[in-house]
Amino acid sequence: MKKILLTGCLGQIGSELVPHLRNIYGNDNVIATDIRRIENSSVIEGGPFEVLDVLDGKSMAEIVKKHNCDSIIHLAALLSAVAEAKPALAWEINMGGLFNALEVARENKCAFFTPSSIGAFGPSTPKIKTPQDTIQRPATMYGVTKVSGELLCDYYYKKFGVDTRGVRFPGLISYVAEPGGGTTDYAVDIYYKALQEGKYNCYIKEGTYMDMMYMEDALNAIVNLMEADPSKLIHRNSFNITAMSFEPSQIAAEIKKHIKNFEITYDVDPIRQGIADSWPDSIDDTCAKEEWGFKTKYDLSSMTEDMLLKLKTKLNIR
Ligand code: AKB
């Protein structure tokens, strides 16, 4: 990657991926875009930024040409809970945006990355150590768009030779930008509420396991996959990757080690619980490890320590 266009840059991943890539590739070589502009954003102020609606393929192509981009990282998408509330919009944005981005990549010979998700699996998928290649019959609109997206990326690689690559992200946890409308968001909210209120009312039932990852590991995974030797990649779209699998009472117990009086209660949201129940408990990332050396630095304990430290500063809590 030399000159990279990113979509959806003010979202949870983009807010950290843009500065991360600018550190590696240089400020002027990372073109951030988003459907909106906001005040005091390092993404907007730290290098080139353009307003872009991913449903406007013509403007996307113009920006890629204007900046002579050789890579596209397409992040703009609705997450699982929002997609379930607005399925038509989710189809339009998740599939329409991806199709436009792939077309622009094809026309301009760009390498291409887009994230899939553990949401690409469904109730009939093996739940424990879910294999890389297995049954994918998701029960959510989010999952339908993720499986379709994986297939579409495979198609563009096989049919047109577009260098498409992707991972199935687990829930991503970070202290910079909060996720918007996912099922795994509880694992971010819990840290904020632990510091601000000393308690958390969890919408996911105790005992519900899901895969998770700290953002630093997710950013490194994107860069390492995009820079990997293509001759070694058998799967391309999309690799299972994970750092840890836990359920709400386990993250609560970890927080309690730092905030003694912290308490978790439960008020289960049937929609998000239903989504979580349809996803794997834990996925097997052996292929990512073997094909491009995927590895992680953070587990639940080291992530919790870092999250609480960084959030304390962010929230100005002593
Ligand atoms: C969500 O919960 O929707 C996302 C995901 C796992 O894809 N965090």
Side-chain angles (χ1 to χ4, degrees):
M1 293 194 292
K2 292 197 177 67
K3 197 127 200 191
I4 312 157
L5 175 102
L6 293 99
T7 67
C9 287
L10 298 177
Q12 194 202 12
I13 301 178
S15 302
E16 290 187 63
L17 184 58
V18 168
H20 184 74
L21 293 177
R22 283 181 176 150
N23 276 339
I24 301 173
Y25 298 96
N27 287 358
D28 292 342
N29 295 322
V30 178
I31 323 304
T33 72
D34 199 277
I35 196 166
R36 66 209 161 110
R37 199 178 265 282
I38 54 170
E39 297 297 314
N40 302 324
S41 157
S42 62
V43 166
I44 295 176
E45 280 148 26
F49 177 84
E50 309 252 7
V51 172
L52 172 68
D53 177 350
V54 292
L55 296 180
D56 179 358
K58 191 164 166 281
S59 297
M60 197 189 294
E62 279 166 12
I63 297 171
V64 163
K65 284 196 175 77
K66 174 176 155 193
H67 293 278
N68 210 9
C69 297
D70 67 357
S71 308
I72 296 175
I73 298 185
H74 176 59
L75 301 173
L78 298 192
L79 291 181
S80 56
V82 179
E84 223 29 38
K86 299 175 183 170
L89 185 67
W91 180 264
E92 193 184 350
I93 293 178
N94 291 13
M95 295 315 299
L98 176 61
F99 179 77
N100 286 342
L102 281 166
E103 273 295 286
V104 173
R106 180 181 68 78
E107 285 163 2
N108 295 278
K109 302 198 177 348
C110 293
F112 190 85
F113 175 92
T114 197
S116 184
S117 158
I118 51 172
F121 297 117
S124 53
T125 302
K127 247 184 146 25
I128 315 277
K129 283 271 166 209
T130 302
Q132 174 68 38
D133 301 307
T134 186
I135 301 163
Q136 287 183 267
R137 307 283 298 170
T140 62
M141 177 51 94
Y142 181 66
V144 170
T145 65
K146 288 298 171 189
V147 178
S148 308
E150 291 182 10
L151 294 173
L152 198 58
C153 289
D154 276 346
Y155 180 80
Y156 268 72
Y157 171 64
K158 287 189 194 122
K159 177 89 176 172
F160 304 119
V162 179
D163 184 1
T164 56
R165 306 182 187 194
V167 296
R168 293 183 185 128
F169 273 133
L172 297 181
I173 296 168
S174 107
Y175 56 88
V176 176
E178 289 177 62
T183 302
T184 57
D185 297 10
Y186 90 86
V188 178
D189 301 343
I190 195 169
Y191 290 112
Y192 279 84
K193 289 287 185 314
L195 285 166
Q196 289 166 325
E197 296 171 20
K199 59 183 183 198
Y200 181 63
N201 196 14
C202 188
Y203 61 80
I204 292 290
K205 199 163 60 187
E206 184 173 1
T208 310
Y209 282 83
M210 285 184 275
D211 283 288
M212 304 279 176
M213 185 181 289
Y214 203 29
M215 188 59 86
E216 188 182 315
D217 285 330
L219 304 182
N220 288 332
I222 295 174
V223 173
N224 292 343
L225 175 57
M226 289 309 281
E227 296 295 355
D229 175 354
S231 70
K232 304 235 163 72
L233 300 180
I234 299 164
H235 286 88
R236 289 188 161 268
N237 311 294
S238 282
F239 287 94
N240 281 3
I241 60 169
T242 183
M244 60 196 96
S245 166
F246 58 75
E247 53 89 18
S249 74
Q250 290 175 322
I251 186 172
E254 211 49 58
I255 291 171
K256 251 174 145 10
K257 289 182 189 165
H258 303 267
I259 304 171
K260 293 213 167 14
N261 295 329
F262 174 69
E263 286 207 4
I264 186 166
T265 51
Y266 297 89
D267 181 10
V268 174
D269 167 17
I271 306 278
R272 285 178 287 185
Q273 183 64 42
I275 297 174
D277 286 340
S278 77
W279 290 356
D281 283 3
S282 63
I283 60 173
D284 179 357
D285 55 12
T286 308
C287 290
K289 286 176 176 148
E290 285 177 0
E291 291 175 40
W292 49 279
F294 167 69
K295 56 179 189 303
T296 54
K297 185 167 142 197
Y298 290 92
D299 60 12
L300 178 56
S301 154
S302 49
M303 176 179 78
T304 299
E305 200 177 323
D306 200 61
M307 263 306 267
L308 291 173
L309 198 74
K310 299 282 173 37
L311 273 184
K312 260 190 194 167
T313 312
K314 179 177 171 181
L315 302 172
N316 218 353
I317 292 171
R318 284 162 180 269

